[in-house]
Amino acid sequence: MQQSLRYSITLNEAQLDYLSDEQQDILRMKCLKTFIRMAVLEETKVSGKNYSAVLHPGQFMASKVDLARLWGCNRKTATRIVHEFNQLGILRSESTNRTTIHTLICLSAWFTGWRLIKSGFFDSNPLVKPIKKLHRIPKHVPPEIAVETGKSDSANPPDPGGTS
């Protein structure tokens, strides 16, 4: 990997909000960074047991198991993240019976020194589907103990002046 490598990425407001939400179980910017680093810069032929494919600039191959290992999460979380990136128009994934080819559609180009490498898959206005966010309750918050019963204590009425 070249040190002078720079990226041209276009994100809309919904995509940026999704990536910057740090209240989730996995850092999504870390996931995007993984995708960008895995994307090939030039046409590359890849093959494995009973399959072969040609990757173009902006594409990469990775299984959910591989991504889960890279991110330190379980396979279900990796699957959810890939699905959400697809919903938001950041990534497009195409599965075959042997592998999955992912295409970054938010990445328009790479700059390597004086060389410009354009992605033929860039979409400047992708279709973005809303993602339902689960409301997560932090585990360290104690449960509520007191439940109001609606009974009033007539022997000790509240002090309206606040002087007690």
Side-chain angles (χ1 to χ4, degrees):
M1 184 71 51
Q2 299 176 9
Q3 287 185 340
S4 64
L5 193 61
R6 294 171 297 160
Y7 311 98
S8 178
I9 300 168
T10 301
L11 300 170
N12 63 33
E13 194 70 24
Q15 293 167 330
L16 192 57
D17 287 345
Y18 171 80
L19 291 170
S20 63
D21 184 0
E22 294 180 2
Q23 299 300 315
Q24 300 299 316
D25 52 348
I26 188 167
L27 293 176
R28 294 161 177 170
M29 283 301 290
K30 177 182 176 182
C31 300
L32 178 62
K33 192 174 180 180
T34 302
F35 294 153
I36 291 170
R37 288 185 170 168
M38 292 176 76
V40 299
L41 297 173
E42 56 191 35
E43 194 171 289
T44 306
K45 184 174 181 175
V46 292
S47 58
K49 189 175 183 178
N50 300 324
Y51 73 90
S52 66
V54 175
L55 300 178
H56 301 280
Q59 294 184 312
F60 62 95
M61 275 189 351
S63 70
K64 311 296 191 300
V65 173
D66 295 335
L67 294 173
R69 189 176 25 238
L70 286 169
W71 298 332
C73 65
N74 63 43
R75 188 175 43 95
K76 285 184 178 183
T77 300
T79 300
R80 179 178 50 83
I81 293 295
V82 168
H83 177 72
E84 290 175 358
F85 271 67
N86 275 276
Q87 275 187 278
L88 281 168
I90 295 172
L91 187 70
R92 185 175 54 235
S93 303
E94 297 173 28
S95 296
T96 67
N97 60 346
R98 296 286 179 204
T99 189
T100 302
I101 297 177
H102 305 279
T103 305
L104 280 165
I105 55 179
C106 67
L107 180 64
S108 63
W110 295 263
F111 300 94
T112 61
W114 297 105
R115 186 172 158 219
L116 170 69
I117 303 168
K118 289 186 177 183
S119 170
F121 303 104
F122 174 65
D123 186 352
S124 62
N125 192 20
L127 176 64
V128 175
K129 297 176 187 172
I131 294 176
K132 290 184 180 180
K133 289 188 179 183
L134 298 174
H135 178 68
R136 298 186 185 271
I137 300 172
K139 294 178 182 176
H140 64 275
V141 175
E144 292 183 24
I145 300 168
V147 177
E148 288 191 34
T149 61
K151 296 179 183 177
S152 63
D153 188 356
S154 58
N156 297 318
D159 183 10
T163 58
S164 55

